[in-house]
Amino acid sequence: MPGTPGDARQLRSGGSLNGHVRVPGDKSISHRALLFGAIAEGKTTIEGLLPAEDPISTAACLRAMGAEISAVADGQIITVEGVGLDGLQEPSEVLDCGNSGTTMRLMLGLLAGRDGRHFVLSGDDSLKRRPMQRVGQPLSMMGAEVRGRGQGNFAPLAVQGRKLRGAVVGTPVASAQVKSALLLAALTADGTSTVIEPAHSRDHSERMLKAFGADLDVGGEMGRHITIRPGARLHGQHVVVPGDISSAAFWLVAGALVPGADLTVENVGLNPTRTGVLEVLAQMGARIEVLNQHDVAGEPVGDLRVTHGSLKPFRFGEEIMPRLVDEVPILSVAACFCDGESRITGAAELRVKETDRLAVMARQLKAMGADIEEHPDGLTIRGGRPLKGAQLDSETDHRVAMSLAVAALMAKGDSTLVGSEAAAVSYPTFWTDLERLQR
Ligand code: S3P
């Protein structure tokens, strides 16, 4: 099996999908467990941490500033020896955030208030193209100093730590990364801060910061106002990370599409700020059952059983976008296999993800013969015509790689995929899971 960059992976079409799969830990929760553990007092233990490239980047940055973190490996309980709220040291090297926007954006908030210390952050070619002013600009309202290329918009970024002031700050986009950066900065400001979002984004930071002991209130319409009073010390916790619904989404769509499929995805995080994909799949008539629902360490969790059935086209837009932003690529694949026109609007944020996901999905699905039209803020997909196997390319994007794998299952004829190794950013065992489930 090809595993080195550049080699094309063979994707076999046909067969069915049956059995149980446990997707790796939630990426968003994994980053936060490492970050909050590092600035807490005492030991944090993390069960189910995602052992993938993105959280490994976060762990490496935190180690470079003095936090002791055990090796990130599958099936291990990870320990983080916290250094306390003001204990992070000035690193002697550039902090390498790899491909991870969450690492870079949350680090900006974490580091902006380290008075007198200096930090430089960079990453891979994709990350160096992603907008960072959306964090630097609201942080500057608290007195932060972040500089970079393009008026502070692009990495490499330099952070000159300052004593920050408490402030009421609005975020320019509904982004949990931006919100979380501001909450981290607010922990060490000189007064109370309130962060106001234009729409409610995923709330893992709020839940976990509270569990670590932060003095935080969530209010306003739909929880869009978060107030933090500095001064409370954070204490090490035991964090249990549920499976990532964004990784489960590939199996949910594959299970709904592939004739005869019957898949159960176990232990999936069902935080309501993340379940937009289930709402859209329900609207499409997908047969999905939620089983064994329970709460684990402050997050709702359950198993999802999906069986094959015919799907209807969908329409969704800006309102639901924060709850399914990472699932747009796989939903665009689902649309190719429903009779009729599906429409995605309000998705301009997709253009500044690891790749321009609207352009890349349109380009790659067109190569398979899809009828797909790109708009500045979305896609129109006229489904129902058969897709054919093709030479595909992830264009370095993990979610594109896995979405195309699902499209290839349903195509007439086999496909090849260049850049399949990108899946390791969020789901290192995706290809072995696919091989096991496809019969
Ligand atoms: C994330 C938030 C989302 C998401 C990303 C992870 C997080 O980004 O796309 O994969 O962990 O906070 P935005 O906050 O920029 O929408």
Side-chain angles (χ1 to χ4, degrees):
M1 268 298 135
T4 48
D7 285 346
R9 177 177 291 273
Q10 305 297 318
L11 299 177
R12 185 162 55 85
S13 79
S16 196
L17 287 173
N18 282 285
H20 287 240
V21 60
R22 237 180 140 80
V23 290
D26 187 279
K27 182 155 81 68
S28 296
I29 297 178
S30 295
H31 284 296
R32 288 155 173 82
L34 291 166
L35 276 157
F36 303 166
I39 54 168
E41 291 173 17
K43 186 189 286 210
T44 287
T45 44
I46 313 170
E47 207 176 313
L49 185 106
L50 168 66
E53 288 170 12
D54 270 15
I56 287 173
S57 295
T58 291
C61 290
L62 293 167
R63 284 192 196 106
M65 295 184 283
E68 275 176 43
I69 302 176
S70 63
V72 173
D74 198 10
Q76 301 291 317
I77 293 193
I78 310 303
T79 57
V80 182
E81 299 291 345
V83 296
L85 262 183
D86 196 40
L88 291 174
Q89 297 154 16
E90 189 173 64
S92 53
E93 302 290 340
V94 172
L95 297 171
D96 182 1
C97 304
N99 187 246
S100 175
T102 310
T103 306
M104 184 168 278
R105 294 195 176 119
L106 268 58
M107 285 288 161
L108 290 175
L110 179 74
L111 303 177
R114 315 276 141 191
D115 198 14
R117 278 160 274 179
H118 186 260
F119 309 87
V120 181
L121 297 101
S122 197
D124 70 6
D125 290 346
S126 153
L127 190 54
K128 281 191 269 190
R129 287 193 292 268
R130 296 183 67 187
M132 295 295 149
Q133 217 159 31
R134 54 178 57 199
V135 185
Q137 187 272 330
L139 275 177
S140 72
M141 314 281 286
M142 301 173 75
E145 196 182 324
V146 179
R147 293 178 196 275
R149 293 179 302 123
Q151 317 280 345
N153 204 19
F154 301 112
L157 296 172
V159 178
Q160 181 56 54
R162 297 265 178 245
K163 182 77 202 148
L164 300 182
R165 42 180 191 273
V168 177
V169 189
T171 65
V173 277
S175 158
Q177 295 177 351
V178 177
K179 168 176 67 179
S180 303
L182 291 164
L183 297 178
L184 280 162
L187 288 173
T188 55
D190 69 0
T192 300
S193 296
T194 298
V195 180
I196 303 174
E197 294 196 276
H200 190 39
S201 66
R202 64 190 68 188
D203 66 357
H204 306 298
S205 291
E206 295 91 307
R207 289 174 188 243
M208 206 188 293
L209 277 171
K210 255 193 188 161
F212 272 79
D215 186 357
L216 171 148
D217 291 325
V218 178
E221 176 212 336
M222 303 278 295
R224 292 192 300 110
H225 296 202
I226 305 118
T227 297
I228 285 210
R229 285 166 291 275
R233 282 146 62 169
L234 305 187
H235 298 284
Q237 299 294 310
H238 181 64
V239 181
V240 183
V241 183
D244 197 325
I245 191 168
S246 298
S247 297
F250 303 110
W251 302 125
L252 297 178
V253 170
L257 289 177
V258 171
D262 185 348
L263 283 179
T264 302
V265 195
E266 294 171 348
N267 186 43
V268 181
L270 297 174
N271 179 312
T273 60
R274 297 285 300 281
T275 48
V277 66
L278 298 182
E279 294 169 45
V280 172
L281 284 168
Q283 179 194 334
M284 296 172 80
R287 298 184 188 155
I288 296 177
E289 280 173 88
V290 183
L291 307 166
N292 185 25
Q293 206 170 338
H294 59 292
D295 269 26
V296 176
E299 292 275 352
V301 172
D303 299 337
L304 299 173
R305 179 175 178 208
V306 57
T307 50
H308 167 252
S310 71
L311 296 180
K312 298 192 287 272
F314 58 73
R315 265 168 194 270
F316 63 82
E318 191 180 29
E319 186 279 323
I320 202 172
M321 204 49 64
R323 300 200 297 288
L324 54 60
V325 64
D326 293 332
E327 288 68 73
V328 171
I330 187 61
L331 286 169
S332 70
V333 170
C336 291
F337 300 99
C338 322
D339 284 330
E341 184 176 289
S342 293
R343 185 86 171 88
I344 301 168
T345 56
E349 270 297 297
L350 271 283
R351 297 203 181 275
V352 291
K353 294 293 178 187
E354 286 79 334
T355 58
D356 175 342
R357 287 182 172 158
L358 298 179
V360 175
M361 287 309 297
R363 188 154 53 231
Q364 296 298 323
L365 290 171
K366 270 184 191 158
M368 303 181 88
D371 181 351
I372 178 164
E373 201 182 318
E374 206 184 316
H375 309 287
D377 75 333
L379 297 170
T380 300
I381 302 154
R382 282 171 283 272
R385 57 152 92 176
L387 297 198
K388 55 181 192 302
Q391 293 180 347
L392 303 169
D393 189 343
S394 75
E395 305 193 31
T396 75
D397 188 318
H398 55 127
R399 299 203 196 280
V400 171
M402 294 182 273
S403 299
L404 293 176
V406 175
L409 275 176
M410 291 292 293
K412 234 172 127 57
D414 294 346
S415 299
T416 56
L417 176 63
V418 168
S420 65
E421 67 283 351
V425 159
S426 61
Y427 193 162
T429 51
F430 177 78
W431 301 110
T432 48
D433 283 345
L434 176 60
E435 223 166 279
R436 182 173 59 80
L437 296 168
Q438 187 185 12
R439 293 196 194 127

